[in-house]
Amino acid sequence: MSTRIEDMRNLGPAMARMLAEIDIFSEEDLRSFGAIEAYHRLRFRFGRHVTILALYAMEAAIRGCDWRALDAETKEHLRGQAGQNRR
């Protein structure tokens, strides 16, 4: 049985509700979609209410670490994949 979203590190009940609206209900679902795809779907559904920090939180949850532990290179790569490069 897969871990519930709200039980994953960095994610909680509010994120679980948002992810459920885009058909992501478990850790297995999130891993299957990937953090980038989940972020794009969340942005499409909820707009600007979803920030880049949500992407970091989902990626770190998949990796099993705190989102603040993601290194600058990883964050830059994620921003690039999400179309959120700062320049």
Side-chain angles (χ1 to χ4, degrees), residues 37-78:
E37 181 63 24
Y39 176 77
H40 285 296
R41 289 173 181 232
L42 286 171
R43 287 285 293 197
F44 181 79
R45 173 68 179 86
F46 297 102
R48 292 183 173 231
H49 295 289
V50 178
T51 69
I52 197 72
L53 295 179
L55 174 58
Y56 298 162
M58 289 184 291
E59 179 65 24
I62 290 169
R63 294 178 182 213
C65 68
D66 188 277
W67 70 269
R68 293 167 291 220
L70 295 176
D71 59 60
E73 185 177 318
T74 299
K75 288 178 181 178
E76 182 66 29
H77 174 75
L78 290 169

Side-chain angles (χ1 to χ4, degrees), residues 5-52:
I5 293 294
E6 55 265 47
D7 295 332
M8 293 178 73
R9 189 172 188 169
N10 308 301
L11 308 178
M15 180 61 84
R17 283 189 298 275
M18 291 171 67
L19 287 169
E21 289 200 33
I22 59 165
D23 298 324
I24 297 176
F25 302 101
S26 67
E27 178 181 2
E28 183 179 323
D29 293 339
L30 182 57
R31 287 182 182 281
S32 178
F33 277 92
I36 298 293
E37 181 63 24
Y39 176 77
H40 285 296
R41 289 173 181 232
L42 286 171
R43 287 285 293 197
F44 181 79
R45 173 68 179 86
F46 297 102
R48 292 183 173 231
H49 295 289
V50 178
T51 69
I52 197 72

